[in-house]
């Protein structure tokens, strides 16, 4: 499905303490977590983010703590997916496990600036920067990641496997 | 096969694995803390999944925001206590009966040499210090592992890190080895990879020193760190291990993706500047900058084991904190806290002017008990100094070993412990 959204573009090492500081982790409520998302790196994020927008960042996105509150906060804020040069390992697993699409497309990160409007098709991993006209195709997920991604997360997959779906 | 490959092959029931293979492993210990388990419990409650593969492998350690720091946290952790009660889980540790998971579980023999461990906490890589495969995961992965008893892992490439020599500086410690490594390979230098430690300088370390090094593997992005089984680990396990040890042998034909060799003879104590652990500098250079400290924190899963506290106490004995320094000391578990009381360490800390409490992560992650304010400088024995990590986003946290922390608390500036103790 073709969609459109604004880019929130950040640098390298956007760690999970920046995405959601520990001072806000006294709750597991996704909407409450989202209301503090990215606060220490971008005070405008929460004020302006709209459903369908996309976070774009350089290397090592989501490094540091294992807190799943980070991808939960991003997803609940309405962000459709995250594009980075590469992700920290635990964040990568967590995002896929909760059904937040994430893509490693270094050339897209180099092309996209804060505020660029992107056209995209999440299921195909296809993105277009409307400012530059450049198009980008994410590499296919590995089979075990795709299996989780296709059903929307690890819990739906386990329920399916256990016949509890 | 290298050590990580041997552990993953064995747990997956395969004779051989190679980097890039996806394997399904059966962990011996599957652990969460209060913050991550609260999310796991929410996921399980919402999903209706309520049967578990093996309750004896489920561990919940309340460490981050306990004793509950505020009403919201109390409410959040109630869900965990109800969950534990409902499912009659045998391994649940409250504040006062446990501590920080990564100090508690190896020190009290719940994780043993040869184990495969997954933990919903990024510092779960700590257990590699006693010859375990141990990797951090998130809350959904923990829920899945609890329900199925299994989890998939990609077999990582392994970096071989060999340390040689005996440090000339009397206060260089295991922490300085790992800060040096992170500086050399970078904060993302081991992303998706394992780090395997070798060399005579590693063999000379105690098991606690090895745990400190393994603890900070995640600060280089690693999946896990792992040490060969040796006499130090064997001695550590005596009287601790609650299950039989299950070590593997070093394979002389093991392959590594990269190898590093470092000589530590001239390695000084290191201090990592805000806001990355990789910004490590030798103490001689740091001291010349006369960095004034507002708070010194001796604690965390990295450096608040009894060995760490003994080193700090040796320096603090009979001394007082500089008038402007606030001291916070948190022995990493209840057992360590008791040992520190019995050995007179708590008295030394308290007389020096430290606020002392037991068994919580405290200000390491900006939880409670010593949160720093805007513009303040904290010198910390913990593991991470990101923006906002320990409190206000305009606070500045420096990382160091326990000796540097103790000496600097006395002087009020970041100093070489030799300034206080002589050469």
């Amino acid at each position: 499905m073709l969609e459109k959204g604004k880019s929130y573009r950040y640098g390298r090492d956007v760690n999970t303490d920046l995405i959601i500081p520990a001072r806000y982790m006294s709750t597991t409520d996704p909407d409450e977590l989202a209301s503090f998302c990215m606060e220490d790196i971008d005070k405008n994020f929460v004020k302006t983010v709209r459903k369908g927008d996309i976070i774009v960042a350089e290397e090592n996105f989501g490094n540091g703590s294992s807190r799943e509150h980070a991808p939960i906060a991003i997803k609940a804020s309405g962000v459709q997916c995250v594009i980075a040069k590469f992700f920290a390992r635990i964040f990568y697993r967590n995002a896929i496990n909760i059904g937040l699409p994430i893509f490693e497309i270094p050339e897209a990160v180099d092309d996209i600036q804060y505020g660029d409007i992107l056209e995209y098709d999440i299921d195909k991993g296809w993105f277009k920067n409307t400012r530059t006209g450049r198009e980008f195709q994410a590499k296919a997920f590995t089979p075990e990641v795709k299996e989780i991604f296709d059903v929307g997360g690890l819990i739906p997959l386990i329920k399916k496997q256990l016949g509890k779906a | 096969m290298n050590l990580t490959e041997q552990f993953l092959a064995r747990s997956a029931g395969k004779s051989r694995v190679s980097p890039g293979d996806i394997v399904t492993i059966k962990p011996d210990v599957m652990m969460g803390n209060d913050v991550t388990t609260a999310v796991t419990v929410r996921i399980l409650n919402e999903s209706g999944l309520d049967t578990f593969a093996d309750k004896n492998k489920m561990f919940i350690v309340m460490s981050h925001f306990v004793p509950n720091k505020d009403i919201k946290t109390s409410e959040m952790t109630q869900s965990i206590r109800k969950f534990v009660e409902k499912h009659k889980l045998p391994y649940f540790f409250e504040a006062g009966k446990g501590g920080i998971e990564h100090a508690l579980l190896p020190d009290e023999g719940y994780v043993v040499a040869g184990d495969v461990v997954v933990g919903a906490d990024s510092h779960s890589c700590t257990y590699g210090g006693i010859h375990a495969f141990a990797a951090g995961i998130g809350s959904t992965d923990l829920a899945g592992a609890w329900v199925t008893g299994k989890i998939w892992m990609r077999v990582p490439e392994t970096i071989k890190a060999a340390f040689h020599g005996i440090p000339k500086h009397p206060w260089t410690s295991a922490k300085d080895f790992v800060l040096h490594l992170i500086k050399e390979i970078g904060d993302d230098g081991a992303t998706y990879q394992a780090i395997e430690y070798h060399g005579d300088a590693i063999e000379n370390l105690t098991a606690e020193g090895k745990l400190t090094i393994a603890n900070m593997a995640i600060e280089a992005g690693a999946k896990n760190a792992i040490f060969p089984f040796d006499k130090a680990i064997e001695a550590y396990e005596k009287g601790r291990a609650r299950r039989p040890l299950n070590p593997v042998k070093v394979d002389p034909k093991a392959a590594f993706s990269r190898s590093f060799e470092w000589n530590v003879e001239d390695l000084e104590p290191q201090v990592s500047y805000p806001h990355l652990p990789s910004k490590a500098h030798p103490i001689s250079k740091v001291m010349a900058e006369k960095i004034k400290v507002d708070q010194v924190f001796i604690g965390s899963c990295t450096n608040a084991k009894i060995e760490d506290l003994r080193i700090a106490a040796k320096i603090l004995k009979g001394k007082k904190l500089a008038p402007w320094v606030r001291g916070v000391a948190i022995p990493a578990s209840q057992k360590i806290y008791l040992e520190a009381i019995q050995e007179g360490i708590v008295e030394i800390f308290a007389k020096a002017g430290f606020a002392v409490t037991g068994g919580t992560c405290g200000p390491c992650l900006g939880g409670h008990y010593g949160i720093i304010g805007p513009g303040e400088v904290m010198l910390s024995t913990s593991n991470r100094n990101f923006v906002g990590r320990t409190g206000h986003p305009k606070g500045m946290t420096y990382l160091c070993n326990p000796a540097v922390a103790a000496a600097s608390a006395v002087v009020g500036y970041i100093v070489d412990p030799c300034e206080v103790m002589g050469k």
Side-chain angles (χ1 to χ4, degrees):
Chain A
M1 192 178 73
L2 207 60
E3 294 173 271
K4 214 174 207 182
K6 190 177 114 179
S7 140
Y8 287 82
R9 171 69 160 78
Y10 304 109
R12 58 167 297 142
D13 296 327
V14 177
N15 62 65
T16 52
D17 281 273
L18 287 174
I19 297 168
I20 182 79
R23 60 183 180 274
Y24 300 129
M25 290 193 330
S26 296
T27 178
T28 60
D29 179 63
D31 291 332
E32 195 177 339
L33 290 168
S35 70
F36 305 112
C37 190
M38 312 301 277
E39 184 181 285
D40 287 351
I41 189 172
D42 182 2
K43 293 223 182 315
N44 276 322
F45 178 83
V46 167
K47 291 181 205 153
T48 58
V49 69
R50 296 279 177 275
K51 193 168 170 19
D53 288 347
I54 289 181
I55 289 177
V56 180
E58 294 180 13
E59 298 89 349
N60 208 23
F61 187 88
N63 65 311
S65 158
S66 70
R67 63 188 68 158
E68 206 159 291
H69 311 65
I72 290 171
I74 290 173
K75 191 180 175 194
S77 73
V79 163
Q80 197 69 19
C81 76
V82 184
I83 302 172
K85 292 198 174 179
F86 67 85
F87 294 88
R89 178 189 152 265
I90 304 175
F91 183 91
Y92 189 95
R93 287 187 78 110
N94 288 349
I96 295 295
N97 281 344
I98 66 158
L100 171 68
I102 57 176
F103 300 99
E104 296 183 338
I105 321 176
E107 60 277 17
V109 176
D110 286 335
D111 185 66
I112 296 166
Q113 294 175 2
Y114 196 105
D116 281 355
I117 303 300
L118 308 180
E119 283 176 4
Y120 59 89
D121 185 329
I122 292 287
D123 294 331
K124 293 185 177 144
W126 175 88
F127 298 85
K128 180 180 177 183
N129 186 347
T130 60
R131 181 179 60 83
T132 64
R134 285 192 63 188
E135 296 180 31
F136 306 96
Q137 179 62 51
K139 271 186 257 161
F141 289 121
T142 56
E144 67 285 348
V145 170
K146 188 174 187 317
E147 192 183 16
I148 301 169
F149 181 77
D150 284 349
V151 294
L154 183 67
I155 296 301
L157 179 66
I158 288 173
K159 288 176 81 167
K160 194 173 133 195
Q161 286 167 344
L162 295 175
K164 290 185 178 175
Chain B
M1 290 186 286
N2 61 45
L3 293 176
T4 295
E5 289 161 0
Q6 289 191 61
F7 270 81
L8 292 177
R10 187 169 72 182
S11 186
K14 290 179 183 291
S15 57
R16 184 160 195 91
V17 298
S18 302
D21 290 355
I22 304 296
V23 294
T24 300
I25 55 170
K26 294 176 180 165
D28 302 291
V29 169
M30 300 174 277
M31 177 274 301
N33 60 49
D34 46 336
V35 169
T36 57
T37 305
V39 178
T40 302
V41 166
R42 184 184 177 108
I43 291 163
L44 289 168
N45 288 344
E46 286 173 359
S47 71
L49 294 169
D50 62 355
T51 54
F52 303 108
D54 188 346
K55 289 179 184 174
N56 287 317
K57 294 177 178 174
M58 297 166 65
F59 285 73
I60 301 171
V61 187
M62 310 292 266
S63 56
H64 280 48
F65 292 162
V66 292
N68 292 139
K69 70 187 179 93
D70 51 26
I71 294 167
K72 274 186 86 78
T73 313
S74 294
E75 287 171 345
M76 180 175 76
T77 50
Q78 277 173 353
S79 67
I80 300 173
R81 297 190 183 97
K82 279 184 198 147
F83 175 79
V84 168
E85 202 181 322
K86 180 180 166 196
H87 296 289
K88 300 190 168 41
L89 300 181
Y91 296 117
F92 173 63
F93 300 90
E94 281 281 11
K97 298 169 186 169
I100 308 174
E101 55 271 32
H102 312 307
L104 167 83
L105 297 180
D107 190 28
E108 303 194 26
Y110 294 105
V111 169
V112 304
D115 272 357
V116 168
V117 183
V118 291
D121 188 278
S122 64
H123 292 105
S124 299
C125 50
T126 305
Y127 315 112
I130 55 164
H131 187 67
F133 171 85
I137 56 171
S139 300
T140 298
D141 262 334
L142 183 64
W146 278 354
V147 170
T148 65
K150 296 180 285 192
I151 188 167
W152 70 267
M153 285 279 157
R154 179 183 169 279
V155 178
E157 287 78 19
T158 296
I159 296 169
K160 181 181 177 183
F163 288 81
H164 303 286
I166 297 168
K168 284 183 228 152
H169 196 291
W171 300 101
T172 295
S173 71
K175 176 72 161 285
D176 306 301
F177 289 20
V178 72
L179 291 180
H180 178 71
L181 175 138
I182 297 164
K183 176 170 85 175
E184 292 285 314
I185 72 171
D187 294 272
D188 58 4
T191 300
Y192 300 111
Q193 297 162 71
I195 306 173
E196 184 171 318
Y197 287 90
H198 288 278
D200 52 283
I202 294 298
E203 284 166 32
N204 289 340
L205 293 173
T206 61
E208 293 194 340
K210 293 177 172 79
L211 287 163
T212 294
I213 290 178
N215 173 273
M216 289 195 69
I218 183 66
E219 311 315 332
K223 167 177 273 178
N224 68 301
I226 196 157
F227 287 71
F229 186 71
D230 65 8
K231 288 199 178 89
I233 296 171
E234 194 176 6
Y236 177 85
E237 291 286 24
K238 277 211 179 96
R240 283 191 170 89
R242 289 170 191 258
R243 285 178 286 113
L245 309 187
N246 195 11
V248 304
K249 289 200 175 77
V250 171
D251 173 2
K253 290 186 209 148
F256 299 95
S257 61
R258 283 190 290 165
S259 288
F260 295 92
E261 306 266 342
W262 287 296
N263 190 309
V264 295
E265 280 174 19
D266 294 320
L267 184 69
E268 296 177 27
Q270 303 286 305
V271 176
S272 290
Y273 283 30
H275 293 282
L276 285 171
S278 59
K279 291 187 173 175
H281 298 281
I283 190 69
S284 55
K285 175 184 174 275
V286 180
M287 204 161 74
E289 293 184 20
K290 298 200 185 322
I291 301 165
K292 194 174 182 183
V293 295
D294 299 296
Q295 180 169 297
V296 171
F297 171 48
I298 297 175
S300 86
C301 54
T302 310
N303 266 146
K305 297 179 282 291
I306 192 67
E307 184 178 287
D308 303 314
L309 303 179
R310 284 179 189 140
I311 290 167
K314 198 169 162 187
I315 291 171
L316 289 168
K317 191 170 186 183
K319 300 188 185 72
K320 297 268 183 213
L321 299 189
W324 59 86
V325 171
R326 311 187 300 264
V328 174
I330 310 183
S333 71
Q334 188 77 354
K335 173 174 172 267
I336 297 167
Y337 187 39
L338 270 167
E339 286 167 353
I341 289 169
Q342 284 155 3
E343 293 183 23
I345 291 170
V346 168
E347 189 176 342
I348 291 168
F349 275 77
K351 280 186 173 165
F354 272 85
V356 190
T357 188
T360 180
C361 302
C364 171
L365 81 155
H368 60 163
Y369 209 80
I371 304 307
I372 61 169
E376 289 186 342
V377 170
M378 174 157 87
L379 182 63
S380 170
T381 66
S382 65
N383 42 58
R384 209 169 265 163
N385 54 352
F386 301 159
V387 171
R389 167 80 181 174
T390 58
H392 195 280
K394 291 207 163 65
M396 311 275 275
T397 296
Y398 294 73
L399 307 175
C400 67
N401 74 30
V404 172
S408 304
V410 171
V411 176
Y413 292 83
I414 303 180
V415 296
D416 187 326
C418 294
E419 290 294 301
V420 176
M421 301 297 283
K423 297 269 173 189

